[in-house]
Amino acid sequence: MASGSQKRIIQLTGFKKQEKKALLKWLFKLDCVFLDNKKYRNCTHLIAKKLCKSEKFLAACAAGKWILTKEYIINSAESGRWLDETTYEWGYEKDTHYSPQMQSAPKRWREELTHSSAPGAFHRWKVVLPVKEGDKRMASIRRVLQAGKATICSSQNAERNITHIFINNKIFLMQNKKCLSEARYYPLQYLGDYLFEVSELKNISKISFSLS
């Protein structure tokens, strides 16, 4: 539970223009900082329209932040103060539209990171990403990894103890086969699969390519 004296830093994800506008009217009745940004910033609370694999949702999960339903803002505003987050956390009430693993992810990561004092879900990872100038998707994935405190290394200066290499094509592998031949390769969607504990993750998400 967030302490009562904590200044809440709020971001939203998944809301359409009119719904967001209505929600902000409630939000501005409360004492908080609102970050109106399409990219993830270091918020304390993410208000999500639905469970999803947006940059903000994955990053907040990886950082162990509160991910809450919009009712948290509305009910808090009606009460004139910030309420306890627990019953508004995504996954608190079961929804048959989503898998149990996906529903439990926000609470599971928040509690695990709080109890272990680990800085983020990826704090043990040493990662190499494909380099492609101006690639917005890769920039987004980088922010998710950084939120989870992964160490991101350049392929040129990669150390031998790299744990994850994310790829989007085999060309990247061939360019780097000399220094990265002992690391494990993963598709980009592995980030979401890892956080949401997708079934049979260990069997389907790691990709082995012959480098010969």
Side-chain angles (χ1 to χ4, degrees), residues 7-117:
K7 185 82 168 180
R8 284 159 174 77
I9 303 171
I10 308 289
Q11 280 195 282
L12 306 179
T13 187
F15 295 97
K16 296 282 171 57
K17 195 172 181 179
Q18 286 304 112
E19 194 170 15
K20 178 181 174 181
K21 192 175 176 181
L23 204 51
L24 290 180
K25 284 184 179 178
W26 291 108
L27 185 62
F28 293 147
K29 294 179 180 181
L30 294 156
D31 180 28
C32 66
V33 175
F34 172 60
L35 303 178
D36 190 9
N37 199 305
K38 290 183 179 179
K39 301 170 185 175
Y40 174 78
R41 292 293 180 253
N42 194 25
C43 62
T44 60
H45 296 66
L46 178 68
I47 310 302
K49 165 86 171 172
K50 59 185 178 181
L51 291 171
C52 62
K53 291 187 179 181
S54 71
E55 173 189 322
K56 291 180 196 173
F57 199 103
L58 293 178
C61 241
K65 303 300 175 72
W66 285 103
I67 303 179
L68 309 165
T69 65
K70 66 179 182 179
E71 283 73 26
Y72 177 62
I73 289 178
I74 295 168
N75 292 357
S76 291
E78 287 176 338
S79 302
R81 62 183 176 83
W82 286 113
L83 300 175
D84 178 76
E85 294 95 336
T86 308
T87 58
Y88 298 96
E89 188 166 33
W90 268 102
Y92 181 80
E93 291 186 359
K94 303 307 173 199
D95 187 328
T96 54
H97 291 96
Y98 306 102
S99 71
Q101 293 93 337
M102 193 172 186
Q103 290 185 66
S104 65
K107 182 175 188 283
R108 185 174 67 249
W109 282 111
R110 181 182 56 74
E111 290 183 342
E112 185 172 319
L113 294 175
T114 299
H115 295 156
S116 67
S117 297

Side-chain angles (χ1 to χ4, degrees), residues 130 166-177 185 207-212:
F166 286 91
I167 52 114
N168 53 11
N169 55 47
K170 288 193 179 185
I171 297 169
F172 174 74
L173 299 189
M174 301 315 293
Q175 289 170 343
N176 298 281
K177 89 176 183 183
Y185 296 93
I207 297 181
S208 296
F209 287 98
S210 170
L211 293 173
S212 57

